Amino acid sequence: MFVRRIAVVGTGYVGLTTGACLASLGHRVVCADVDEVKIARLRAGRVGILEPGLAELVAEGLAAGRLEFVLGARNAVFDSEVMFLCVPTPMGVDGAANLAAVESVVAEVGELLPQGCVVVNKSTVPVGTAARVGSLLNRPDVAVVSNPEFLREGSAVADFLNPDRIVVGCDAQDAAERVAALYAKLGAPTVLTDAASAEMVKYAANCFLAMKLSYVNAVAELCERLGANVIDVTEGMGYDRRIGASFLQPGPGWGGSCLPKDTHALSQVAGSVGFDFPLLQATIDTNARQRHRVVQKVREAVGGSLAGARVGLLGLTFKAGTDDLRDSPALAVADLLREQGARLTAFDPGVREGLSDVTVVTDPYEVARGADAIVLLTEWPEFRSLDWNRVTELMAGDTIVDTRNHLDRDALDRAGLCWRGVGVSGSPRLDAVREVVS
């Protein structure tokens, strides 16, 4: 494999993971950021992101001399063969992706890129962005490639080094092949296509996953009304290879740094070309409805009114294994509870700083103290092993609203607690029957 000189602009989840992993594959990588404090921290090998394996890869790359951190994009690109754009593309007020950071970097380094350098859009960007970047660069010798990332927070390193597929899009075949070759050691299926199609892959994939989650939450509500059990229903669905078991878990709604902005961005893009996409809009609307359904469950648990009720929250991050609060459904539910007068106390293993209008504690049992109800919002494994007898003693009420169907219902029953899940009726699970027939 040829060793390439790579610049990575942006050291967030995507940029830092990309830089550290490419360095682990043997390339020479220079990562740039505008945050002077972050760069100093990374130079010292301190990673401020909760991501398994990432700190070790950064330390390994620094020690081997294959990974470097510099302040400012212009200090990273002077001898690069490939430059990755890994800067934020947040959702704007109209739902469209905000490309200000991408355009700023392009303007800063456009004239500094070496002859024949390849610019790679790793950030999630709307269809047509590669062409726009090429126009802004105005460098016929510099190709622009779309190479979307498919990294899940909490398993980003594993996802990068063990990818389901690698997608590379460019109208110049040789440039696409050069970028694909960076990943040769991984041996993953590679899709070589045009830039617009590669950009569309990321949006199409994420919006499909959002639809799947909204669908299963709707099925869960129907199960409650019909007396069915969504846990068993999704188990039966998941064995179908055409469907698969992933993204079939009901919850308080989907969130995080990708799905909300990508669904809105694709909806906006569809509207810009006169395409009506009701299925996507229904996905977004169903997700908003799910958060209100959770609040309704909590309201019922405390007697019909949340005014003055003490509610404990287990989990604040958008998923377990990360410290990311961006567009967290847990925070969305917390906001709705607070708006209806609830007093909130929360614990999350990944969150140590306080939040406005939510008291964040460092002991999960403090969430239970005097609580009229407890709501599990994030599926941290350690929540399953809490001492529920102690929780019972500390609570004023007796109901646990488990929005992830994550807890051991029998353990809560033995402790005298009332478990309320999502998509599950009040009747006992038929676990004994399942054990016999299996």
Side-chain angles (χ1 to χ4, degrees):
M1 183 191 78
F2 292 105
V3 174
R4 296 296 187 187
R5 299 186 303 277
I6 299 171
V8 176
V9 181
T11 59
Y13 276 97
V14 174
L16 187 56
T17 301
T18 297
C21 288
L22 286 173
S24 77
L25 295 178
H27 302 296
R28 202 204 82 187
V29 182
V30 180
C31 293
D33 204 286
V34 295
D35 188 331
E36 187 173 354
V37 174
K38 181 189 286 189
I39 290 299
R41 187 172 62 234
L42 289 170
R43 284 173 175 169
R46 300 197 306 272
V47 174
I49 298 172
L50 180 59
E51 195 61 57
L54 185 55
E56 292 79 2
L57 278 189
V58 168
E60 175 188 302
L62 289 169
R66 294 191 302 268
L67 185 60
E68 182 182 353
F69 296 97
V70 300
L71 184 65
R74 60 176 51 245
N75 294 316
V77 303
F78 66 93
D79 69 341
S80 61
E81 297 172 84
V82 181
M83 181 187 79
F84 281 84
L85 287 170
C86 300
V87 295
T89 54
M91 183 169 60
V93 292
D94 60 351
N98 186 333
L99 300 179
V102 172
E103 294 172 356
S104 176
V105 172
V106 170
E108 179 182 357
V109 305
E111 296 181 355
L112 302 176
L113 295 173
Q115 181 79 17
C117 182
V118 175
V119 172
V120 182
N121 269 331
K122 198 72 172 172
S123 305
T124 301
V125 292
V127 176
T129 301
R132 175 164 174 73
V133 169
S135 177
L136 292 172
L137 282 170
N138 196 25
R139 290 276 304 268
D141 62 303
V142 175
V144 180
V145 172
S146 174
N147 174 217
E149 53 84 15
F150 302 99
L151 307 178
R152 297 167 298 167
E153 291 184 33
S155 59
V157 170
D159 289 343
F160 190 103
L161 298 177
N162 303 278
D164 293 327
R165 76 292 201 193
I166 293 166
V167 177
V168 182
C170 186
D171 297 336
Q173 183 77 8
D174 59 333
E177 291 175 351
R178 283 173 62 188
V179 172
L182 299 175
Y183 303 97
K185 275 188 176 181
L186 302 179
T190 300
V191 177
L192 293 179
T193 183
D194 58 273
S197 296
E199 291 165 340
M200 187 63 184
V201 166
K202 178 60 182 290
Y203 281 111
N206 274 358
C207 290
F208 180 81
L209 295 176
M211 287 181 191
K212 197 172 180 182
L213 288 169
S214 285
Y215 176 78
V216 77
N217 278 332
V219 168
E221 181 175 359
L222 189 57
C223 284
E224 290 180 13
R225 297 190 181 198
L226 296 175
N229 188 319
V230 75
I231 299 173
D232 297 333
V233 171
T234 54
E235 181 182 4
M237 292 170 61
Y239 285 120
D240 189 325
R241 287 173 293 180
R242 299 168 301 173
I243 298 173
S246 64
F247 284 75
L248 277 185
Q249 293 73 38
W254 40 265
S257 62
C258 293
L259 298 190
K261 73 180 183 69
D262 290 355
T263 49
H264 283 89
L266 186 59
S267 179
Q268 195 277 337
V269 167
S272 71
V273 294
F275 178 71
D276 187 23
F277 207 154
L279 185 59
L280 183 56
Q281 188 57 52
T283 296
I284 297 170
D285 294 342
T286 300
N287 193 51
R289 170 181 168 81
Q290 186 67 6
R291 296 165 181 180
H292 287 277
R293 287 194 64 233
V294 169
V295 172
Q296 174 64 24
K297 287 178 179 291
V298 182
R299 187 164 52 244
E300 292 171 356
V302 299
S305 173
L306 285 162
R310 296 180 62 87
V311 178
L313 307 180
L314 290 175
L316 293 170
T317 55
F318 87 95
K319 62 181 287 189
T322 178
D323 56 0
D324 198 345
L325 295 168
R326 288 177 293 178
D327 277 305
S328 170
L331 293 185
V333 169
D335 286 342
L336 292 172
L337 290 170
R338 179 182 50 78
E339 288 172 5
Q340 296 191 27
R343 293 177 292 166
L344 306 176
T345 303
F347 170 80
D348 189 294
V351 178
R352 288 293 179 264
E353 296 183 358
L355 301 173
S356 61
D357 300 314
V358 179
T359 301
V360 177
V361 295
T362 57
D363 182 343
Y365 295 104
E366 287 303 308
V367 163
R369 191 178 300 279
D372 297 303
I374 292 177
V375 190
L376 183 141
L377 292 164
T378 312
E379 71 284 18
W380 288 92
E382 46 264 60
F383 291 157
R384 287 182 58 87
S385 58
L386 290 175
D387 182 343
W388 295 108
N389 287 316
R390 183 179 175 189
V391 170
T392 301
E393 294 173 357
L394 290 169
M395 288 184 69
D398 66 354
T399 301
I400 310 294
V401 178
D402 183 359
T403 71
R404 303 276 185 170
N405 294 339
H406 178 63
L407 302 175
D408 183 342
R409 180 177 182 176
D410 291 337
L412 271 66
D413 286 343
R414 289 193 297 270
L417 293 168
C418 175
W419 177 88
R420 293 200 63 190
V422 175
V424 181
S425 67
S427 59
R429 295 282 311 279
L430 298 179
D431 294 325
V433 175
R434 180 182 291 109
E435 290 176 3
V436 170
V437 299
S438 62

